[in-house]
């Protein structure tokens, strides 16, 4: 099938355990919100948070993973990728104004060509904005717009479960409103931290 285009629609999430040398994923011509995460056990998942394409969990290739966001003003959210030096991961924003988002509990390095932390190094191309949090940031080689929060806590879901009808599922009805504290950091779509 080399060189032939295959189009899919109405699919469930895809799991691809093929043994390959290189993987290339291309976003749509619209505005994609792409999420890349490490699943452990030698697998990564790429998905469109805004539903513009189906999620794909795939086996790590031996050489490279390239994500080309395509046209549009795209957001690429990068969860912690702890896979070692290979394969080389490249995030290419493509045409439009594209933003990298990442939250880490470590020092970060950002340039026009690289994003890294103490456990990862990601190649970059055509990324014009970044919204990052970590313990410290060296962005001396980045020429785009940047929002950085030092020491901002990463969101950790906690609690006994969902609330229905004013009561927490799994707890005996107490006929009292559910109340509690929230420790959160909110960022808006333009990267502003509130």
């Amino acid at each position: 099938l080399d060189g032939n285009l295959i189009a899919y629609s109405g699919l469930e999430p895809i799991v691809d355990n093929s043994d390959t040398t290189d993987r290339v994923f291309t976003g749509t011509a619209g505005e994609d919100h792409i999420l890349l995460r490490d699943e452990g056990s030698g697998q990564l998942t790429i998905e469109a948070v805004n539903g513009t394409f189906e999620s794909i969990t795939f086996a790590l290739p031996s050489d490279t993973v390239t994500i080309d966001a395509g046209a549009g003003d795209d957001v690429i959210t990068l969860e912690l990728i702890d896979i070692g030096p290979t394969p080389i991961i490249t995030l290419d924003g493509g045409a439009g104004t594209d933003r990298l988002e990442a939250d880490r509990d470590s020092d970060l390095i950002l340039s026009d060509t690289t994003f890294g932390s103490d456990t990862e190094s990601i190649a970059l191309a055509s990324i014009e904005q970044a919204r990052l949090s970590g313990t410290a940031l060296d962005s001396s080689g980045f020429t785009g717009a940047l929002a950085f929060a030092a020491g901002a806590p990463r969101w950790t879901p906690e609690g006994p479960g969902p609330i229905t009808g004013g009561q927490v599922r799994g707890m005996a009805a107490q006929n009292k409103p559910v109340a509690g504290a929230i420790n959160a950091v909110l960022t808006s779509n333009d990267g502003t931290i509130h």
Side-chain angles (χ1 to χ4, degrees):
L1 297 175
D2 286 340
N4 292 319
L5 177 65
I6 300 173
Y8 302 93
S9 64
L11 295 174
E12 294 296 319
I14 300 165
V15 176
D16 180 357
N17 290 316
S18 302
D19 184 17
T20 64
T21 303
D22 303 297
R23 292 210 184 248
V24 177
F25 297 95
T26 303
T28 70
E31 295 183 356
D32 299 313
H33 184 166
I34 299 168
L35 171 67
L36 181 65
R37 72 173 172 269
D38 186 348
E39 297 293 344
S41 301
Q43 293 188 317
L44 297 176
T45 295
I46 181 173
E47 68 179 86
V49 175
N50 60 348
T52 55
F53 60 85
E54 191 55 68
S55 70
I56 302 170
T57 299
F58 58 96
L60 290 174
S62 58
D63 287 347
T64 66
V65 174
T66 301
I67 297 175
D68 179 352
D73 297 338
D74 304 302
V75 175
I76 302 173
T77 300
L78 187 61
E79 291 191 2
L80 182 63
I81 306 294
D82 189 9
I83 58 172
T86 56
I88 296 169
I89 297 176
T90 300
L91 305 179
D92 184 345
T97 301
D98 305 298
R99 182 172 70 238
L100 170 67
E101 296 186 346
D103 301 312
R104 301 290 185 269
D105 294 327
S106 61
D107 292 354
L108 306 176
I109 297 172
L110 176 67
S111 73
D112 289 337
T113 59
T114 305
F115 167 75
S117 68
D118 43 343
T119 61
E120 62 194 332
S121 181
I122 309 294
L124 301 178
S126 300
I127 299 293
E128 293 80 20
Q129 302 174 344
R131 199 262 324 133
L132 306 172
S133 68
T135 54
L137 173 65
D138 174 357
S139 61
S140 58
F142 187 66
T143 59
L146 174 64
F148 176 67
R154 290 189 357 189
W155 176 259
T156 303
E158 295 181 6
I163 299 171
T164 305
Q167 297 295 316
V168 177
R169 184 174 65 189
M171 294 178 67
Q174 301 167 357
N175 295 322
K176 298 178 186 174
V178 175
I182 296 175
N183 180 10
V185 175
L186 175 67
T187 61
S188 57
N189 287 337
D190 65 1
T192 305
I193 298 175
H194 304 277

